[in-house]
mmCIF file of all heavy atoms in Angstrom:
data_model
loop_
_atom_site.group_PDB
_atom_site.id
_atom_site.type_symbol
_atom_site.label_atom_id
_atom_site.label_comp_id
_atom_site.label_asym_id
_atom_site.label_seq_id
_atom_site.Cartn_x
_atom_site.Cartn_y
_atom_site.Cartn_z
ATOM 1 N N LEU A 113 18.422 -19.751 -62.353
ATOM 2 C CA LEU A 113 18.640 -18.587 -61.613
ATOM 3 C C LEU A 113 17.551 -18.488 -60.620
ATOM 4 O O LEU A 113 16.483 -19.123 -60.718
ATOM 5 C CB LEU A 113 18.493 -17.329 -62.578
ATOM 6 C CG LEU A 113 19.565 -17.381 -63.777
ATOM 7 C CD1 LEU A 113 19.341 -16.107 -64.683
ATOM 8 C CD2 LEU A 113 21.027 -17.414 -63.184
ATOM 9 N N LEU A 131 14.163 -19.412 -62.274
ATOM 10 C CA LEU A 131 14.113 -19.390 -63.728
ATOM 11 C C LEU A 131 15.051 -20.403 -64.234
ATOM 12 O O LEU A 131 16.202 -20.568 -64.033
ATOM 13 C CB LEU A 131 14.572 -17.933 -64.137
ATOM 14 C CG LEU A 131 13.872 -16.802 -63.466
ATOM 15 C CD1 LEU A 131 14.622 -15.456 -63.804
ATOM 16 C CD2 LEU A 131 12.499 -16.654 -63.894
ATOM 17 N N SER A 155 22.593 -13.938 -69.243
ATOM 18 C CA SER A 155 21.527 -14.132 -68.415
ATOM 19 C C SER A 155 21.709 -13.470 -66.874
ATOM 20 O O SER A 155 20.971 -12.807 -66.336
ATOM 21 C CB SER A 155 20.945 -15.538 -68.252
ATOM 22 O OG SER A 155 20.521 -15.881 -69.476
ATOM 23 N N LYS A 171 20.206 -10.275 -69.016
ATOM 24 C CA LYS A 171 19.159 -10.189 -70.050
ATOM 25 C C LYS A 171 18.787 -11.554 -70.228
ATOM 26 O O LYS A 171 19.407 -12.487 -70.736
ATOM 27 C CB LYS A 171 19.855 -9.704 -71.324
ATOM 28 C CG LYS A 171 18.875 -9.633 -72.496
ATOM 29 C CD LYS A 171 19.577 -9.140 -73.813
ATOM 30 C CE LYS A 171 18.509 -9.025 -74.936
ATOM 31 N NZ LYS A 171 19.277 -8.593 -76.214
ATOM 32 N N LEU A 172 17.390 -11.827 -69.758
ATOM 33 C CA LEU A 172 16.942 -13.170 -69.832
ATOM 34 C C LEU A 172 16.220 -13.445 -71.159
ATOM 35 O O LEU A 172 15.896 -12.525 -71.952
ATOM 36 C CB LEU A 172 15.866 -13.255 -68.677
ATOM 37 C CG LEU A 172 16.396 -12.979 -67.161
ATOM 38 C CD1 LEU A 172 15.282 -12.873 -66.309
ATOM 39 C CD2 LEU A 172 17.276 -14.096 -66.921
ATOM 40 N N GLY A 173 15.968 -14.766 -71.474
ATOM 41 C CA GLY A 173 15.365 -15.246 -72.499
ATOM 42 C C GLY A 173 15.957 -16.122 -73.461
ATOM 43 O O GLY A 173 15.455 -17.025 -73.950
ATOM 44 N N SER A 174 17.158 -15.880 -73.741
ATOM 45 C CA SER A 174 18.066 -16.805 -74.638
ATOM 46 C C SER A 174 18.540 -17.997 -73.938
ATOM 47 O O SER A 174 18.531 -19.140 -74.635
ATOM 48 C CB SER A 174 19.196 -15.857 -75.218
ATOM 49 O OG SER A 174 18.786 -15.013 -76.035
ATOM 50 N N TYR A 176 18.133 -18.476 -70.126
ATOM 51 C CA TYR A 176 17.410 -18.720 -68.958
ATOM 52 C C TYR A 176 15.952 -18.013 -69.050
ATOM 53 O O TYR A 176 15.870 -17.059 -69.857
ATOM 54 C CB TYR A 176 18.073 -18.354 -67.726
ATOM 55 C CG TYR A 176 19.160 -19.031 -67.293
ATOM 56 C CD1 TYR A 176 20.439 -18.861 -67.896
ATOM 57 C CD2 TYR A 176 19.106 -20.094 -66.439
ATOM 58 C CE1 TYR A 176 21.529 -19.675 -67.612
ATOM 59 C CE2 TYR A 176 20.194 -20.943 -66.090
ATOM 60 C CZ TYR A 176 21.438 -20.638 -66.755
ATOM 61 O OH TYR A 176 22.504 -21.505 -66.361
ATOM 62 N N GLU A 177 15.009 -18.632 -68.518
ATOM 63 C CA GLU A 177 13.547 -18.093 -68.527
ATOM 64 C C GLU A 177 13.456 -16.592 -68.195
ATOM 65 O O GLU A 177 14.133 -16.151 -67.273
ATOM 66 C CB GLU A 177 12.561 -18.844 -67.642
ATOM 67 C CG GLU A 177 12.466 -20.159 -67.966
ATOM 68 C CD GLU A 177 11.386 -20.959 -66.962
ATOM 69 O OE1 GLU A 177 11.755 -20.805 -65.758
ATOM 70 O OE2 GLU A 177 10.518 -21.588 -67.423
ATOM 71 N N ARG A 178 12.587 -15.909 -68.842
ATOM 72 C CA ARG A 178 12.142 -14.637 -68.424
ATOM 73 C C ARG A 178 11.097 -14.850 -67.183
ATOM 74 O O ARG A 178 10.659 -15.961 -67.009
ATOM 75 C CB ARG A 178 11.438 -13.829 -69.431
ATOM 76 C CG ARG A 178 12.353 -13.442 -70.578
ATOM 77 C CD ARG A 178 11.452 -12.628 -71.663
ATOM 78 N NE ARG A 178 12.321 -12.137 -72.764
ATOM 79 C CZ ARG A 178 12.417 -12.704 -73.890
ATOM 80 N NH1 ARG A 178 11.734 -13.824 -74.079
ATOM 81 N NH2 ARG A 178 13.172 -12.194 -74.806
ATOM 82 N N PHE A 179 10.911 -13.741 -66.435
ATOM 83 C CA PHE A 179 9.887 -13.792 -65.438
ATOM 84 C C PHE A 179 8.534 -14.024 -66.101
ATOM 85 O O PHE A 179 8.231 -13.613 -67.315
ATOM 86 C CB PHE A 179 9.793 -12.529 -64.558
ATOM 87 C CG PHE A 179 11.016 -12.466 -63.643
ATOM 88 C CD1 PHE A 179 12.249 -11.860 -64.014
ATOM 89 C CD2 PHE A 179 10.895 -13.084 -62.390
ATOM 90 C CE1 PHE A 179 13.319 -11.854 -63.208
ATOM 91 C CE2 PHE A 179 12.066 -13.002 -61.481
ATOM 92 C CZ PHE A 179 13.273 -12.460 -61.930
ATOM 93 N N ASN A 184 12.836 -9.115 -68.227
ATOM 94 C CA ASN A 184 13.806 -9.905 -68.750
ATOM 95 C C ASN A 184 15.202 -9.541 -68.082
ATOM 96 O O ASN A 184 16.284 -9.718 -68.685
ATOM 97 C CB ASN A 184 13.892 -9.651 -70.300
ATOM 98 C CG ASN A 184 14.404 -8.335 -70.607
ATOM 99 O OD1 ASN A 184 14.269 -7.361 -69.659
ATOM 100 N ND2 ASN A 184 14.897 -8.069 -71.903
ATOM 101 N N SER A 185 15.155 -9.222 -66.889
ATOM 102 C CA SER A 185 16.525 -9.076 -65.945
ATOM 103 C C SER A 185 16.195 -9.482 -64.662
ATOM 104 O O SER A 185 14.990 -9.178 -64.038
ATOM 105 C CB SER A 185 16.823 -7.610 -65.971
ATOM 106 O OG SER A 185 17.890 -7.383 -65.039
#
Side-chain angles (χ1 to χ4, degrees):
L113 301 177
L131 305 172
S155 300
K171 181 181 178 183
L172 302 170
S174 296
Y176 289 84
E177 291 179 309
R178 293 185 178 92
F179 287 91
N184 70 342
S185 169

